[in-house]
Amino acid sequence: MDHGQQTTHNSGSGGHCRLKLVDFQVHENHTSHETEGLSQKLLVLRRGKPFRVTLLFRDQSWNPHAENLVLQVILGHLSQKILVRFTDKLPSIYHWSATVLSGHVDLMAVTINVCSPVFSSVGLYKLLVHIESRRGRRSYAVGSFVLLYNPWLKGDPVYMPQDAQLQEYVKSDYGLVYMGTNINVSERPWSFGQYEPGVLEACLQLLQISPQHLDDQDQDFIRRADPVYLSRVVCSMVNNDDDMGILMGKWQGSYEGGVNPTAWSGSADILHRWVSSKFKPVCFGQCWVFASVLCTVMRVLGIPSRVVTVFNAAHDGNANMKIEEFYSSTGEKLNLSKDSIWNFHVWVESWMRRPDLGERFDGWQVVDPTPQEKSAGVYVCGPCPVAAVQQKVLRAQYDTPFIYASVDADVVRLIVRQGMVVGRTVDTLCVGQLIYTKSVDSDDPKNLTDTYKLTRPVSTRMCTRSSGEVSGREGPMAMMMCTRSLAEVSGREEDSTSVLDVSLKIEGKPTVGESIRLCINIKNNTFNKKVLMEHVNAQIKEYNSSPQESFWKVHQEVHMSPSEVLTLRHTIPPSEYESFVSSDDIVNVAVVMKDMVTEERVLETLEFNMTSPKITIEVEGGDSIQVRMEHTARVSFTNIFSKALNGAVLTVEGSGLLKDKQVERLTCLKPGEKIEKTVSFTANSTGTKVLMSTFSHDGSPTVVSRGFHKVKVTAAS
């Protein structure tokens, strides 16, 4: 990256020394600053670390006795002049300096060590060189450079001491997103894409069009030195609810006019679309897409970050730390609550010090870009110290009560009949039951649950109410009565111990195409015989919504001896669910056991996802390929079902690998038969890419299976 001179100001005769060329020593500086590959156009540096530039002069050499060299760095309207000095002392990391070391000057060139302050603002700087003498001054605009945070430097608030973590949380362009449910965790790879052409520039542009920058440019530039401030700016810009943000969210209905969130596999494509559309929101995103894009931007800017999945994440709409769920007396989950529990929710943890809160809150901070609740009038959440969540310090900024409720709220489940609450359980363990992120230098999950939650005692209680007669009341009135009954019951806890213990579990791993096997254990805690009515109900739901209508149910009378422990088993064959369940759906199963004498009701629930049939993706020659060379992949799906699948469709795509989606179709795919597609692809840049494939057929409303395959692209040898 050599920049020819551009004279911008000339006064007097200008002296004898003229600047010919500036060598930014890009390769050496990028290597030294751990920024290789972030840009092919710009010099990318980390604050607080020296970098070298060499000035080459025209005709005559620089005379340091008669002429001063002055560098000027400019960020917007802010600028700083730096006198070039001769010294062998180490530069200070707290102010700008420019020094010439002994032996780095010859007749026609001088190499300067330039060091930015460790608290410099992140952004794109202009660099000017002034040659000053008593005769006048010559000035040259010699180019630009980018300053990023420096997690390798101890004085930087984002300093991270372990190199393995730096490689994982800053330099790695590949991650895993965990989805599904806590009892059947699934995963999908994600290409963060920070080394894709144009991604760094998109991240810088994001800062330039933020509301904070547009409102007060100078103040925004100054405050960018603080990663706490910057993380809030970036978080709000990933969603488009308050600004010209990157992604528009959509959680229900058709995705026509955009991309189904499940179809994304990397951040670069999303950022490229946003920039090319002149900053119109990209359609569409959901929590893992918002979080993965945020993680990309934070890693590009130099803040160590990782994508984190919370299973059974609560959305506490009224901030009372309780989530209410309603069930019918036969076990059907009802859509009556303003609160919700998402089977999984994905956010980002970013690493930084918190001088505004004190050392005990340094470290990982939750930053959540999914637009859920407003913070200071804007759809932004965090940075919230993970330590504050664990220690329940709800006053700690930012948004700690909301994050705390997401991982540690209580779930109040109410059984309602004819508008009255007839049973109630309080579950203190369901929410935040499992919290995962990708392990350092491994594709295994790392369990973060203990970093958010101290061990809590089991505290599940049960109380019942007689059902009241509510004749002739339906719809809104019935819902209102349910809410009122809830208020009456939830205001006090009763110490009554249930005479029945009921547990519900799935036997084996629930897999599409196989029977779902339910196991219900019942314990009679009395010395009396019991006559029970068992209600078991199964519904389909999406990970973030209430269930749809029931697709399977059982009602039967059960007789129990005194103190008996009884196991009931039920099987849901594929024929009962396969026309309802798709690869992204969750199954909600609930059992209500009613004592026919006392009318006590005990509720137990379980939600799980189905494992999809496998799509096989194989790259000829292995998964490490060379850039700009053609490679071949074979993709296949075998029909494991007992019936033929009409209108079978196999698709293959890959951002940065395939220009267009590749499609293979079969009129009929018989049991045991295979549908295959061979694709040729070429990577135009180095880094980690993802091939993604889907399988669908006419008999299923959505995709039946998805497959992903990671490809590592290296430079040509």
Side-chain angles (χ1 to χ4, degrees):
M1 187 185 298
D2 292 334
H3 294 268
Q5 68 178 41
Q6 300 176 41
T7 304
T8 59
H9 176 77
N10 184 15
S11 61
S13 64
H16 299 288
C17 180
R18 295 171 182 265
L19 187 62
K20 177 182 179 181
L21 204 65
V22 176
D23 179 5
F24 278 103
Q25 301 189 28
V26 173
H27 177 73
E28 294 81 359
N29 283 324
H30 281 178
T31 301
S32 173
H33 284 247
E34 305 282 356
T35 57
E36 308 100 312
L38 286 178
S39 179
Q40 301 300 315
K41 300 177 181 179
L42 297 168
L43 176 63
V44 186
L45 306 167
R46 300 199 183 275
R47 63 185 190 178
K49 185 176 180 64
F51 64 97
R52 290 185 176 186
V53 294
T54 298
L55 309 183
L56 289 85
F57 302 105
R58 186 190 306 276
D59 301 328
Q60 295 190 31
S61 62
W62 170 49
N63 181 359
H65 300 291
E67 298 163 320
N68 287 329
L69 285 180
V70 178
L71 306 184
Q72 185 177 5
V73 291
I74 301 173
L75 183 64
H77 299 135
L78 310 175
S79 71
Q80 176 73 47
K81 287 187 175 181
I82 316 150
L83 178 64
V84 178
R85 302 177 183 274
F86 286 87
T87 181
D88 287 329
K89 292 182 179 179
L90 292 175
S92 169
I93 63 170
Y94 297 109
H95 57 77
W96 284 98
S97 64
T99 60
V100 178
L101 303 180
S102 302
H104 285 255
V105 182
D106 62 25
L107 294 176
M108 300 301 295
V110 58
T111 297
I112 304 172
N113 276 16
V114 186
C115 190
S116 61
V118 68
F119 297 113
S120 296
S121 296
V122 168
L124 178 63
Y125 289 71
K126 295 178 182 178
L127 179 63
L128 274 63
V129 175
H130 305 291
I131 304 175
E132 299 177 346
S133 69
R134 285 182 294 180
R135 300 179 183 181
R137 182 181 70 183
R138 288 189 181 273
S139 298
Y140 304 85
V142 298
S144 303
F145 63 90
V146 177
L147 266 190
L148 305 176
Y149 293 107
N150 191 352
W152 280 265
L153 184 63
K154 193 169 185 179
D156 198 303
V158 300
Y159 170 67
M160 179 171 270
Q162 296 183 14
D163 187 66
Q165 290 186 325
L166 288 165
Q167 296 300 315
E168 181 72 40
Y169 300 136
V170 180
K171 299 196 72 175
S172 175
D173 63 349
Y174 161 76
L176 288 173
V177 179
Y178 296 98
M179 307 169 79
T181 60
N182 63 292
I183 65 171
N184 189 17
V185 176
S186 60
E187 63 184 44
R188 61 185 298 165
W190 190 272
S191 175
F192 294 118
Q194 60 263 48
Y195 305 113
E196 291 281 342
V199 168
L200 169 71
E201 290 77 4
C203 296
L204 294 173
Q205 191 63 53
L206 177 148
L207 300 179
Q208 295 299 105
I209 64 171
S210 70
Q212 292 87 344
H213 190 79
L214 297 177
D215 288 346
D216 191 334
Q217 175 179 312
D218 291 348
Q219 185 65 18
D220 175 63
F221 274 135
I222 292 170
R223 296 193 67 187
R224 285 188 198 175
D226 178 11
V228 175
Y229 167 81
L230 193 80
S231 63
R232 283 184 70 80
V233 172
V234 173
C235 181
S236 68
M237 284 296 295
V238 170
N239 69 70
N240 79 312
D241 287 65
D242 310 289
D243 43 44
M244 292 185 285
I246 299 169
L247 278 162
M248 178 182 293
K250 187 174 176 61
W251 285 266
Q252 293 178 334
S254 170
Y255 297 104
E256 186 177 351
V259 176
N260 188 319
T262 59
W264 298 115
S265 61
S267 304
D269 190 18
I270 295 170
L271 290 166
H272 289 154
R273 292 186 187 210
W274 178 66
V275 172
S276 63
S277 71
K278 300 189 184 304
F279 315 116
K280 294 180 181 178
V282 178
C283 303
F284 296 101
Q286 291 182 13
C287 64
W288 71 92
V289 185
F290 286 110
S292 298
V293 171
L294 174 61
C295 189
T296 293
V297 178
M298 298 293 264
R299 289 188 183 186
V300 167
L301 298 179
I303 301 176
S305 297
R306 60 191 185 187
V307 174
V308 172
T309 299
V310 179
F311 290 97
N312 295 339
H315 185 169
D316 182 17
N318 57 9
N320 67 349
M321 302 293 176
K322 293 183 183 297
I323 307 299
E324 292 91 6
E325 294 185 339
F326 296 85
Y327 285 81
S328 74
S329 58
T330 57
E332 182 179 2
K333 191 173 185 180
L334 306 173
N335 186 18
L336 299 179
S337 178
K338 293 182 179 180
D339 296 332
S340 62
I341 296 178
W342 291 13
N343 294 101
F344 68 89
H345 179 56
V346 185
W347 59 44
V348 171
E349 284 183 3
S350 295
W351 180 269
M352 64 192 74
R353 290 202 295 268
R354 292 299 302 267
D356 56 323
L357 300 177
E359 290 184 4
R360 63 187 285 209
F361 299 118
D362 290 348
W364 291 112
Q365 315 284 319
V366 174
V367 189
D368 187 355
T370 301
Q372 298 178 85
E373 300 288 337
K374 288 190 174 183
S375 171
V378 179
Y379 280 107
V380 60
C381 184
C384 165
V386 173
V389 177
Q390 186 197 54
Q391 299 165 31
K392 201 178 179 180
V393 184
L394 302 185
R395 69 181 186 278
Q397 291 185 318
Y398 292 86
D399 309 305
T400 303
F402 185 78
I403 297 298
Y404 178 85
S406 297
V407 302
D408 221 359
D410 293 340
V411 182
V412 180
R413 298 191 180 98
L414 299 114
I415 306 173
V416 295
R417 181 175 180 271
Q418 296 180 340
M420 297 296 292
V421 175
V422 296
R424 177 178 185 266
T425 66
V426 180
D427 188 343
T428 64
L429 301 179
C430 170
V431 171
Q433 200 162 16
L434 186 65
I435 303 175
Y436 266 2
T437 192
K438 177 184 175 297
S439 293
V440 173
D441 199 27
S442 166
D443 283 355
D444 294 331
K446 178 179 177 63
N447 192 334
L448 302 177
T449 311
D450 289 344
T451 67
Y452 284 85
K453 305 175 69 169
L454 297 172
T455 303
R456 296 179 65 186
V458 178
S459 174
T460 302
R461 296 178 177 176
M462 177 75 193
C463 60
T464 62
R465 292 288 182 273
S466 300
S467 57
E469 295 293 333
V470 193
S471 58
R473 289 187 172 129
E474 297 178 355
M477 180 59 71
M479 186 191 306
M480 186 167 63
M481 291 199 66
C482 288
T483 304
R484 185 161 59 246
S485 299
L486 166 62
E488 293 169 1
V489 175
S490 62
R492 55 188 180 271
E493 295 276 2
E494 293 193 358
D495 292 327
S496 58
T497 301
S498 174
V499 298
L500 292 174
D501 288 337
V502 179
S503 66
L504 170 64
K505 68 177 182 179
I506 299 293
E507 292 186 332
K509 189 173 185 178
T511 302
V512 174
E514 299 179 3
S515 294
I516 300 172
R517 299 188 300 277
L518 305 176
C519 180
I520 301 170
N521 290 311
I522 312 167
K523 182 181 179 183
N524 180 0
N525 292 321
T526 73
F527 297 106
N528 303 316
K529 292 182 179 181
K530 289 287 182 184
V531 179
L532 310 173
M533 178 58 69
E534 178 197 31
H535 302 282
V536 189
N537 186 87
Q539 297 163 274
I540 296 298
K541 69 183 292 288
E542 296 181 358
Y543 76 97
N544 63 336
S545 64
S546 296
Q548 304 167 15
E549 292 183 8
S550 303
F551 68 87
W552 178 89
K553 57 184 67 175
V554 164
H555 311 287
Q556 67 177 4
E557 195 171 275
V558 177
H559 295 262
M560 295 190 73
S561 302
S563 304
E564 182 183 4
V565 177
L566 182 64
T567 298
L568 303 175
R569 286 184 167 83
H570 300 284
T571 299
I572 308 176
S575 59
E576 295 279 349
Y577 70 77
E578 59 189 9
S579 60
F580 300 93
V581 181
S582 70
S583 64
D584 301 315
D585 284 333
I586 307 293
V587 178
N588 174 276
V589 177
V591 56
V592 174
M593 303 298 301
K594 177 186 175 182
D595 188 314
M596 299 299 289
V597 176
T598 67
E599 295 194 348
E600 177 187 12
R601 292 173 173 87
V602 180
L603 168 69
E604 186 67 18
T605 68
L606 185 66
E607 293 187 346
F608 58 90
N609 54 307
M610 305 286 287
T611 299
S612 300
K614 184 180 179 181
I615 294 177
T616 301
I617 304 175
E618 296 178 338
V619 177
E620 285 189 2
D623 299 332
S624 181
I625 67 173
Q626 290 188 351
V627 68
R628 288 183 288 277
M629 292 187 65
E630 188 173 276
H631 296 81
T632 301
R634 289 186 173 85
V635 184
S636 64
F637 175 87
T638 300
N639 181 6
I640 65 168
F641 301 99
S642 58
K643 65 179 183 179
L645 304 177
N646 295 321
V649 180
L650 184 68
T651 71
V652 188
E653 55 190 314
S655 178
L657 296 173
L658 288 165
K659 186 176 181 181
D660 300 307
K661 181 186 293 186
Q662 306 291 303
V663 181
E664 184 71 19
R665 302 179 188 273
L666 275 181
T667 304
C668 180
L669 185 64
K670 297 179 181 179
E673 286 188 347
K674 181 186 294 186
I675 182 173
E676 293 182 284
K677 180 69 176 176
T678 300
V679 297
S680 297
F681 62 93
T682 303
N684 293 319
S685 62
T686 59
T688 305
K689 320 292 181 185
V690 177
L691 282 169
M692 182 175 72
S693 176
T694 66
F695 175 79
S696 59
H697 60 87
D698 291 346
S700 176
T702 58
V703 169
V704 172
S705 183
R706 284 187 175 83
F708 304 90
H709 195 78
K710 177 178 68 172
V711 179
K712 183 67 175 178
V713 184
T714 60
S717 55

